[in-house]
Every structure is written in structure tokens, then in C-alpha cells.
């Protein structure tokens, strides 16, 4: 089978992409509105894009041409935090995926603890074992969309936070302690499975 995405319904394109490009890390993004309301939401179109200097990216859909609170907040304040998702907080992360009014603080909704960042205004999730404070470096909107498209945001990491338990010698990460969770399709998620190594030639 082959598909021309221009000839498919958007829902079909979404299912094919999210079902095949897996597993995807989850960026649990915290931001703050200009009026000081905390926001927290997960995004699985997320990844690292460079380390010199360190940058991450995520994208947010714009359904029916309506911006999500996360996008509004970051465009206004130019700051956000990436809170990495682990097995211990996956249920709380899922609670913040629902659509709620912009005056709702998702930290309270999910029952997680907001703690101050060092260099930026948005709060971090205390229960997250790894967090990255970010300043917005670039953003752009996808062109040629049918239903509102998406906005890609790239943030420069200005501060990294690692729980001592997940760190090994020489800045390596202890996966047995970290226990990251990744996104699959639909309501499915994945844990770290069997590991194998291949040495570079």
C-alpha cells in the first residue's frame, strides 16, 4: 500500500504517522501565562535537536485554528520547561493531556508539585527526575495545512536538573532508576524493553 497524504483525511495521516514513528519521547511542557497561571501539558512530537549549544524541539497542533495555552504562553514569555516523563508520573501526565479552561492550573489538576526554576519563570515538576529550563530560540508555523496546522518550537536549554539517583559516573544515566516512558499510538505507551548494543565500525 502507498498513500499520498494530500489525498487522505487528516485522521488517517495522524494514525499512520503516530503508529509508525515509535516510540516517541514525551515532552511534558510547563509554561506560565502573562497573568501568572501555570500550564502543564504533554507533547509527543518532541526530541533533542542539538547539543552545541543544547536545544530541544516540540510541536503543538492548532486544531480549528485555535492556539493551545502552551503555545500562547511561550510566544508571550519566550520560556518553557521540559519535564521528562517516567513510570512514576505517567498517570499524572495523562491527566494534563485533557482540554481545560486556560484559567486552570494543571499542576493542581494532576496533583504534582510546582517548584521554581533557576533561570526562567515557568515552574518545574518536582516529581520529574529530569527537567530542562528552556528559552525560546525559534518557532515557525507549518504551511499548506488543512485544519490549522502546527507550530514547531525550538528551545535552548539554559539549565539542566537531574535527580542524583538517575546519574552514574561520567554523566551517564541509570536507566533502571530513570524508567522513562515513551508514546506509541492511541492510548498506548511503552517502557524500556530489552536493550542491545551495536558498536560503530
Amino acid at each position: 500500500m502507498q498513500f499520498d497524504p494530500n489525498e487522505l483525511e487528516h485522521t488517517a495521516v495522524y494514525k499512520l504517522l503516530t503508529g509508525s514513528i515509535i516510540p516517541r519521547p514525551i515532552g511534558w511542557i510547563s509554561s506560565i501565562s502573562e497573568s501568572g497561571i501555570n500550564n502543564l501539558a504533554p507533547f509527543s512530537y518532541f526530541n533533542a535537536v542539538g547539543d552545541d549549544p543544547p536545544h530541544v524541539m516540540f510541536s503543538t497542533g492548532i486544531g480549528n485554528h485555535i492556539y493551545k495555552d502552551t503555545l500562547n504562553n511561550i510566544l508571550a514569555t519566550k520560556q518553557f520547561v521540559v519535564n521528562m516523563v517516567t513510570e512514576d508520573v505517567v498517570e499524572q501526565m495523562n491527566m494534563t493531556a485533557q482540554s481545560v479552561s486556560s484559567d486552570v492550573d494543571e499542576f493542581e489538576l494532576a496533583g504534582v508539585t510546582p517548584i521554581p526554576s533557576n533561570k526562567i519563570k515557568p515552574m518545574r515538576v518536582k516529581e520529574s527526575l529530569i527537567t530542562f529550563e528552556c528559552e525560546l530560540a525559534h518557532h515557525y508555523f507549518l504551511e499548506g495545512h488543512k485544519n490549522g496546522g502546527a507550530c514547531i518550537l525550538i528551545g535552548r536549554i539554559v539549565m539542566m536538573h537531574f535527580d542524583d539517583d538517575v546519574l552514574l559516573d561520567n554523566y551517564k544515566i541509570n536507566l533502571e532508576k530513570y524508567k522513562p516512558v515513551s508514546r506509541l499510538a492511541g492510548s498506548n505507551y511503552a517502557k524500556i524493553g530489552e536493550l542491545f548494543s551495536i558498536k560503530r565500525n
Side-chain angles (χ1 to χ4, degrees):
M1 297 288 290
Q2 56 189 20
F3 304 100
D4 182 338
N6 293 314
E7 298 175 358
L8 288 177
E9 292 290 332
H10 175 253
T11 54
V13 174
Y14 175 80
K15 289 178 182 178
L16 290 169
L17 278 179
T18 59
S20 56
I21 302 175
I22 57 174
R24 300 186 306 281
I26 304 165
W28 200 12
I29 307 297
S30 53
S31 60
I32 191 168
S33 71
E34 290 185 291
S35 60
I37 299 174
N38 293 323
N39 181 265
L40 183 61
F43 296 87
S44 66
Y45 290 167
F46 161 77
N47 220 312
V49 292
D51 54 47
D52 183 21
H55 283 72
V56 292
M57 66 73 60
F58 77 97
S59 69
T60 172
I62 307 173
N64 297 317
H65 304 276
I66 298 173
Y67 289 10
K68 293 183 178 179
D69 293 335
T70 300
L71 179 55
N72 284 327
N73 291 348
I74 296 173
L75 291 180
T77 67
K78 308 294 191 273
Q79 297 177 338
F80 62 93
V81 176
V82 176
N83 306 275
M84 299 305 295
V85 178
T86 61
E87 293 179 27
D88 289 340
V89 295
V90 69
E91 292 291 343
Q92 291 93 326
M93 176 277 298
N94 188 50
M95 292 183 67
T96 65
Q98 59 185 301
S99 296
V100 295
S101 173
S102 59
D103 61 355
V104 172
D105 183 329
E106 283 91 352
F107 282 83
E108 295 181 4
L109 179 69
V112 293
T113 310
I115 56 175
S117 296
N118 287 35
K119 294 188 174 184
I120 62 176
K121 290 184 178 180
M123 294 289 189
R124 298 184 292 122
V125 175
K126 180 180 180 180
E127 291 80 4
S128 182
L129 298 178
I130 299 174
T131 62
F132 302 113
E133 299 180 26
C134 300
E135 294 182 346
L136 182 65
H138 308 282
H139 76 280
Y140 62 95
F141 294 87
L142 299 184
E143 299 178 352
H145 55 77
K146 299 177 182 177
N147 302 295
C151 182
I152 297 173
L153 301 106
I154 298 176
R156 178 170 181 164
I157 298 174
V158 296
M159 183 62 70
M160 300 174 166
H161 301 267
F162 290 81
D163 189 283
D164 289 346
D165 286 344
V166 304
L167 286 175
L168 298 171
D169 292 339
N170 198 27
Y171 306 103
K172 294 181 179 180
I173 305 299
N174 185 334
L175 292 177
E176 292 182 358
K177 298 287 187 178
Y178 182 23
K179 298 181 180 178
V181 171
S182 59
R183 191 78 166 89
L184 301 177
S187 58
N188 295 320
Y189 294 82
K191 302 176 183 179
I192 291 291
E194 181 182 354
L195 302 180
F196 65 93
S197 300
I198 301 178
K199 292 184 178 181
R200 294 187 180 183
N201 294 329

